[in-house]
Structures are given as C-alpha cells and as structure tokens.
Amino acid sequence: MKRTKWLKRALAGVLAVGAAGCKQQLFTEPGDYHDALKVQLPKALETNPHDPITPGTVEKFAPPNTVSDFVRPARNITLRECIAVATEQGNVGAAGGGRFGFKSDQLPLFSGRAATNSDSVRAFAIDPAVAGAEIERSLSKFDTRWVTTMQWQKIDQPVAAQFVSFQQQRDAATLSSTLAKPLPTGGVAGITFSTDYSKFGTAASQQFGQLVNPNYTPRLQLTFEQPLLRLFGVEINQIASTGPLAEGSLLLGGIRPAGGAGTEGILITRIRQDQTRAQFESQINLLLANVEAAYWNLYAAYYNLYAQEEGYRQAFEGYRFIKTRAELGSEEPARLHQTQAQVHRFQGQVIQARSQVLESERQLRGLLGLLSNDGVRLVPIDEPNLAPYTPDFQEAAVEAIAMRPEVLIARQELKAQQLNILLQKNLRRPDLRAFTQYDVAGLGTRLGGNTEDFNPATGTFTPGNALGSFADNRFNSWTIGFRLDVPLGFRDANALVRQAQLGLTRSYVQLRDTELKVVELLIQQYRTLDQTYRLIGTARAEREELQKYVYRIKVKEQIGGPAADFLSNLTVQQQLAAAIAAEARAIADYNTALAVFEYQKGTILQYNAISINEGPLPPWVQKRAADHIRERTEAALKLRDAPVPPGGAPIGGHPVGPANGTNSALKLPPFAEPRDPLPEMPTKPMPPLPLGAGGF
C-alpha cells in the first residue's frame, strides 16, 4: 500500500477553494498535485546506509518578529485554506485537557528500538500503509515453497567383511525439487521429484554380475498432511498466528513457512489495519479541531490587540485633553499624572497583546507546518459564525458512539478478543494428524536411450533409460498413517483459554467505558456550546453600554459642558478595551466550540467536507483540487480584501453617530493593515500616536 493512498484524504474536499469572493475556481496542475503527495527523499538514501546523515540546512531568514519589530506585510488566510495546508503538511498538535488550538513542541523520543512521538501528518500517514503491508506478510504463510537441492558425494571407506566390499567405493549424486503448498485447512500438500545416481566400484560389479551399475533412480512423491483436531479448518487457520508449516512437515523435512514470522492471523491483522486506519482518522480529527481553534484564537488575539491600541489612543487623547485644561487652570495638575499613567498602562497592554498575537500565530503556523519567520503575518479573514445552534443531543450521542474513531478501535479490539477465544479453545485440542504418501519410481543406467540394454556376457537384459522405466509406472509405493500428540493435563492450553476469556471481559468493559466517556465529553461540550453563545450576548451588551457612555462624554466635551467624573472616565477606558476583547474572545470560543462539538461527535471530517478513502483519487477530485502550494509560491488568489475607509474603520463597520450611539455586532477590525511600531512613552512632551486606527 502506498503512502499516497492516505495523503489524498483531505484533497478530496478541503483543497477545493470555492470560498466567497472567488470570481473563478483555481485548479492545480497535475505536476503540482503529485508534488504534494510524494515525499522528496534524498538521493541514494536507500542504497547508501553507511553515508552520514547530515543536519538539515536552515534557510536564511530575517530575525523573528518581536513586540518591538511587529510590522510585517499581511497575508489574508481563510479557515478552509488553513485546513488544506494542515492536512497536507501540518502537525496534529497537543491533545487532552479539553484545550484545543495548541501545537506540540515535544521532540521525538527514543523508545528503545525506534524514535517515536512525531505528530507530523506526513509521518503518521504512513502507518496505515505499514499495516497494509502487514496483511501481505500474514498471507505469505500460505505461499507455496519451492525447494531444490543438488548434491554430489564420494564414498571410499575400508570394510571389515568381504560380502560388503561392493560398498567400498561409490560415487553418488542426488537432485531433488519439491513444491509444498500450505493449505487453508491447516494441511500441507507437496510434490517432490528426485533423481538419485550411484556408481559402485569394480569389485562390486565383479561380485554381483546382475548389479545395475551405474544406476539412476528417478522418483515422484505425492504427499499430503492434514491436522484433524488441533488447527483444523479454514477459519481457525485465518486466526492463528502460526501457519501450517510453522512446526515443520512430517514427510517433507526442512520445509518452513514462506514468511509471516511474528505476524498475527489474517483476520486479526485486518482488524489491526482497521484500528490503524481509525487511529489515523482520530489524529486527523484532532488536527482539524486544533487548526480551527488556533484560527479563532488568532482572530481573538488580533481583536484584543485592536482593543488595546484603541484604548491606548483614547488614553492619549484624554491625556492631551487634561493637559490642556490643566494649563488653562481648569483642571488639577495631579490628574495629568493619572492620565499619563493610564497611557503607560495601555502601552504595556499593547505590548502584551502583540506578544499574544505572535504566540497565537506561532501556534497556528506550527499546526500548519509553516515557519514563523517567513516575512509575513497570517491574518484570519473569515467571518465568524454568530447564529445560534441547538443540536439534538440524543441524535448527537448516537452519532458519537457510532462514529468516534476511538470507539471503533475499542470495538475492533473486542472483536479481536472474540477471535482469540476461538483460537485458544482450538489449541486446547489434541494434535492428531493424518499423513499419506504415494511414490512412483524408476531404474536405469542412464537418463536417455533405450529402455533396456542387452548384456552379451550374461545373455540378459538390464535397465537402460531410467526415465523410460519411470514412465512405465512399474514401481509404486504408498504410505498412510496417523500421529497423535497429547499433552497430559493441558495446563498451558487451559491457562491460555482463561487468559483469553479475561481479555475478552476486559475489552468489553473497556468498550462500554469508552462509550460512556464519549457521551460525557459530548455532554460537557454541549454545555460549553450553550455557554459560549450566551456569553457573546452579555459581552456585546457590556461593550454597547460602554460605547454609549464614551459617546456621551465626547459630545459633552465637544459642546463645552462640565467635565465628567475623571476617575470614571479612566475606568471606562479600561473597561471598554476589556469588553471589546471579551466579546471577540466569546465569539472565538463559540466558533471553536462548534468545531469541538463536531469533534466530540466524530463528524468533524464531514463538517469540513473531508473524506478518507483507499485507492487512487477519482478524476473529478483531481480537477477540483485547489492550489495547495500557494504558501510556497506566494501566488495566492485573493479571496477577500479588508480596505480601511478614510478615518479608520470602527468596530461595527460604521462610525458611531448620534443616531445609534453603538454597534449591534462585532465585526473584523482593520488589523489586516500593517501597524507602525509603538513609540516609547516620554514624560514630556507626549507625541501623537501614529496608529491610524478608527475610534469608538
């Protein structure tokens, strides 16, 4: 089984980029498609194992971006493209603890025989192909063996008795060729053709005048062996880890199985392949959940940065307003220090928000298999899902038990234990074998010529053509027999049966426990789904009320009204920035919860239009596969632009005016535009903040 049968899993549905904003679909060239599926191995990697494995080369990049060097060109990216890149070259990421969206930084470990613990999709995608090769190894136990031998012998030894002097000198040779076929029923059928050659010394010819010297003895043997109790039958031999020739043959000496040493029976090996395939699907499910969670985490991180920058700008405007009033004597000078401290506080929060953006992008890039210093920054541009979703829990629980790969693995393990019970009970029987052999032989002084030769000295005929004598079928022999092997007490066999029964019980309990845990995880995610959606409403209401307050304060300042409560203004600035970030976080959590709910239900592949199939891709899939290497060529098709209107784009997509005073929904801020680095905050004078973002 080739690796390409498993790497094509996502290209069936994910890489078809038919997202909103495309004027026409983009198709890959066949060369690009095949380039994405094959692993570029170094030359002579298989043929030169003694060459040193040199360290990989590190391309020359600019230093990684930091909070002090934050400006990079934006690369707009959709969730569909992230999933496409991740399934082609990404990493599964961390698992467990109910936390999604984080990559795994754990390096491979040495397990004593091999280095393991890689979560690269290009690494574990090979596992199902390895399991497929294991099936071939298990089937090889029934392959026909062809064994041929040719030997020559010279005998020259002293003798103690005159009547055996004909054995003093002898030339001998033997040719033997055997075909042995292990049968599905546990028996062995064989056919052997052999020719023996002997030439005695002169003394033997003189002593025994009728001696055929030299002589050829061609022989054809038909053999058949069959166990009658232990390991008898087709099904049991498909379960047993040993083949019909594992213990050798009674009549065919030296014949061993053609292969499959150390493998399980073919039926159990196929179960192992199903389990490997389910494990592969489980890893892909986790990969998809982590990618989508990381995508929305980056979305929330950008929004948090936007909120802190807006708070920074508002704090600076407040500082200038208080500074002007303090210079005019209408404001206490002490408040100038408070406003300046507020500016510094937001400046630190902007630095932290930038760090959060860099870390969230690093997590997403790690899941996509991309470096973090390629000179661009990933900007999520998909609109989040804000529609309420109340699934049918009963139906979802049924789907989870039926479709979660982890439950499938447990069910298959129970099936393997059932087959093991049958095997161990069969091995408890006595080993009774029947065997039979039929022999056809010939005799002659040579392998060609006449069938008989006339001897003038004796006036008799002697065998001539040995093969002709063999064809006449004059010499026949047969053998039939039984062999019984009974271990008295059957202690080992009974213990194995008991262990198999306990293993069956353990697998059944494990299956039911797995189903219970799957339902419990679904219950937890069902509650999280409802909780995260309702938090959007509360966060939005808080943000709207705070925006109304800020708007009224601005109107009062513009018309020259009395100054509002100073401390309240400072507090509201902080609260508004936190409310904007909280609403974005709630939206990101809700969209993550939608994906995780599909993950817990076992339907995240269908949720993302991905299918896992064996065999080559159908033609229509190849035609609709999108350009999955666009991150390498930078020839990406722009799916959507995020233009910034003059004066900046506020949160709701429209400026706050007297008519509404607030925004009804939280939309993408203009963080697709690169920002200048924040200046250092001097004590005097305060420079204008060149952020250029919109207002509240």
Side-chain angles (χ1 to χ4, degrees):
M1 182 179 296
K2 295 182 178 180
R3 174 181 172 275
T4 55
K5 296 181 180 179
W6 298 94
L7 271 185
K8 55 101 187 101
R9 64 216 171 279
L11 299 178
V14 176
L15 295 183
V17 184
C22 291
K23 296 182 179 180
Q24 59 183 3
Q25 290 187 348
L26 182 64
F27 302 99
T28 57
E29 295 293 332
D32 295 335
Y33 170 75
H34 292 293
D35 177 68
L37 294 182
K38 67 180 181 179
V39 179
Q40 298 291 342
L41 295 177
K43 293 182 178 180
L45 186 63
E46 295 183 2
T47 57
N48 293 331
H50 302 292
D51 290 350
I53 305 298
T54 58
T57 58
V58 179
E59 297 183 15
K60 188 175 182 180
F61 290 107
N65 290 82
T66 62
V67 294
S68 302
D69 182 19
F70 188 74
V71 179
R72 286 173 295 169
R75 180 193 170 196
N76 296 341
I77 191 168
T78 64
L79 178 59
R80 181 181 292 264
E81 183 182 355
C82 288
I83 291 176
V85 175
T87 52
E88 195 268 328
Q89 65 176 33
N91 297 276
V92 173
R99 299 174 70 247
F100 294 87
F102 298 93
K103 74 185 190 73
S104 175
D105 291 319
Q106 187 174 4
L107 300 178
L109 302 176
F110 182 66
S111 61
R113 289 184 177 271
T116 58
N117 197 42
S118 174
D119 67 335
S120 172
V121 67
R122 292 193 173 187
F124 68 78
I126 303 176
D127 294 341
V130 174
E134 197 75 5
I135 291 180
E136 295 297 321
R137 293 193 63 231
S138 183
L139 286 172
S140 67
K141 300 171 186 176
F142 301 93
D143 289 350
T144 302
R145 294 297 301 271
W146 178 29
V147 180
T148 300
T149 60
M150 181 68 197
Q151 66 178 15
W152 293 266
Q153 187 179 24
K154 174 69 174 179
I155 300 176
D156 188 2
Q157 60 185 7
V159 296
Q162 185 66 27
F163 67 90
V164 294
S165 61
F166 71 94
Q167 295 182 354
Q168 183 178 4
Q169 292 184 356
R170 182 165 69 95
D171 295 334
T174 300
L175 170 66
S176 176
S177 183
T178 301
L179 285 176
K181 169 60 179 175
L183 303 177
T185 58
V188 179
I191 179 171
T192 301
F193 177 78
S194 62
T195 300
D196 295 330
Y197 168 78
S198 295
K199 182 179 181 181
F200 299 99
T202 306
S205 300
Q206 295 175 353
Q207 184 177 359
F208 300 94
Q210 299 299 324
L211 179 65
V212 180
N213 187 31
N215 65 80
Y216 290 88
T217 308
R219 188 184 307 274
L220 181 66
Q221 292 178 329
L222 304 176
T223 60
F224 176 73
E225 305 174 23
Q226 177 62 51
L228 301 179
L229 293 176
R230 183 174 179 266
L231 293 177
F232 170 72
V234 175
E235 182 184 36
I236 202 65
N237 280 276
Q238 291 179 334
I239 301 174
S241 59
T242 58
L245 288 173
E247 299 178 359
S249 173
L250 297 177
L251 302 177
L252 301 174
I255 304 295
R256 293 294 178 182
T263 61
E264 298 179 288
I266 178 61
L267 295 183
I268 299 181
T269 304
R270 287 173 177 169
I271 290 177
R272 300 307 182 205
Q273 186 191 32
D274 292 339
Q275 290 178 314
T276 305
R277 186 180 184 274
Q279 178 64 22
F280 172 82
E281 181 179 343
S282 175
Q283 291 172 306
I284 293 298
N285 288 352
L286 180 59
L287 170 67
L288 297 177
N290 278 331
V291 167
E292 186 152 354
Y295 185 87
W296 296 118
N297 286 342
L298 182 59
Y299 168 90
Y302 267 117
Y303 236 125
N304 178 54
L305 175 61
Y306 173 77
Q308 302 306 325
E309 287 180 341
E310 287 298 301
Y312 190 8
R313 187 184 63 81
Q314 289 289 348
F316 179 69
E317 290 180 356
Y319 167 78
R320 291 194 302 177
F321 177 76
I322 296 299
K323 184 174 182 296
T324 302
R325 293 176 64 89
E327 291 174 351
L328 296 176
S330 58
E331 195 69 56
E332 297 181 7
R335 293 188 174 182
L336 183 63
H337 301 294
Q338 288 181 304
T339 56
Q340 189 167 348
Q342 179 88 317
V343 173
H344 285 298
R345 181 182 296 109
F346 273 110
Q347 188 178 25
Q349 292 176 356
V350 168
I351 294 175
Q352 293 178 354
R354 285 184 172 184
S355 176
Q356 182 181 352
V357 168
L358 293 176
E359 177 60 22
S360 298
E361 183 181 353
R362 189 184 76 89
Q363 296 293 336
L364 179 59
R365 285 177 174 271
L367 295 172
L368 302 185
L370 302 177
L371 288 174
S372 298
N373 55 346
D374 57 0
V376 297
R377 58 190 177 99
L378 302 181
V379 178
I381 61 173
D382 274 358
E383 290 285 353
N385 188 353
L386 299 177
Y389 176 57
T390 305
D392 185 336
F393 181 79
Q394 182 68 27
E395 180 181 354
V398 172
E399 286 183 322
I401 292 178
M403 303 188 67
R404 278 294 293 264
E406 295 81 2
V407 181
L408 175 60
I409 292 174
R411 284 201 298 267
Q412 295 294 79
E413 184 62 29
L414 181 60
K415 177 61 64 178
Q417 293 299 328
Q418 287 180 305
L419 297 177
N420 187 42
I421 284 279
L422 296 179
L423 174 62
Q424 298 306 327
K425 288 183 177 180
N426 182 276
L427 293 177
R428 192 168 53 178
R429 298 176 180 178
D431 186 8
L432 176 62
R433 294 175 179 266
F435 56 91
T436 180
Q437 185 178 58
Y438 185 78
D439 187 300
V440 179
L443 179 64
T445 58
R446 58 184 179 276
L447 296 177
N450 299 325
T451 304
E452 293 182 335
D453 295 330
F454 179 74
N455 189 349
T458 60
T460 60
F461 288 91
T462 59
N465 189 345
L467 294 179
S469 174
F470 170 78
D472 292 339
N473 193 18
R474 297 171 54 189
F475 306 98
N476 305 109
S477 304
W478 58 267
T479 302
I480 187 169
F482 296 90
R483 178 180 178 272
L484 179 63
D485 184 359
V486 182
L488 300 181
F490 290 96
R491 287 198 298 177
D492 184 67
N494 287 326
L496 290 175
V497 171
R498 182 56 179 163
Q499 288 181 349
Q501 291 172 341
L502 294 175
L504 180 68
T505 303
R506 183 180 183 276
S507 295
Y508 180 80
V509 174
Q510 180 178 341
L511 172 61
R512 294 297 172 244
D513 180 68
T514 303
E515 292 176 344
L516 176 62
K517 289 180 179 179
V518 164
V519 175
E520 286 297 320
L521 289 173
L522 191 65
I523 291 175
Q524 179 188 26
Q525 194 58 33
Y526 184 84
R527 294 170 177 169
T528 303
L529 194 63
D530 180 70
Q531 172 189 342
T532 52
Y533 179 75
R534 295 187 179 277
L535 286 177
I536 294 176
T538 59
R540 178 179 300 163
E542 179 185 4
R543 186 258 304 169
E544 290 175 350
E545 295 302 323
L546 291 173
Q547 281 183 327
K548 291 178 182 178
Y549 178 88
V550 172
Y551 171 72
R552 294 183 184 277
I553 294 301
K554 280 191 174 184
V555 171
K556 185 181 296 187
E557 292 175 353
Q558 291 175 358
I559 64 177
D565 184 14
F566 177 75
L567 293 178
S568 296
N569 291 344
L570 296 181
T571 303
V572 168
Q573 286 179 353
Q574 301 175 23
Q575 291 176 344
L576 182 56
I580 295 173
E583 184 180 356
R585 182 71 264 175
I587 292 175
D589 289 343
Y590 176 65
N591 283 265
T592 299
L594 290 173
V596 175
F597 184 79
E598 298 294 334
Y599 168 78
Q600 301 292 6
K601 197 172 60 169
T603 56
I604 194 169
L605 288 176
Q606 294 84 345
Y607 178 73
N608 288 282
I610 299 176
S611 61
I612 300 177
N613 298 306
E614 296 186 34
L617 285 174
W620 62 270
V621 174
Q622 182 173 346
K623 291 181 179 180
R624 296 185 60 187
D627 191 357
H628 53 277
I629 59 171
R630 40 188 280 180
E631 74 277 3
R632 304 175 190 171
T633 61
E634 297 184 359
L637 178 68
K638 286 190 176 182
L639 301 180
R640 175 186 173 193
D641 290 329
V644 180
I651 296 175
H654 51 275
V656 179
N660 52 12
T662 184
N663 301 296
S664 59
L666 191 64
K667 295 185 179 180
L668 284 173
F671 51 62
E673 294 299 317
R675 302 294 183 89
D676 295 329
L678 292 175
E680 294 294 332
M681 182 64 186
T683 303
K684 293 179 182 180
M686 177 74 72
L689 190 64
L691 290 178
F696 293 94

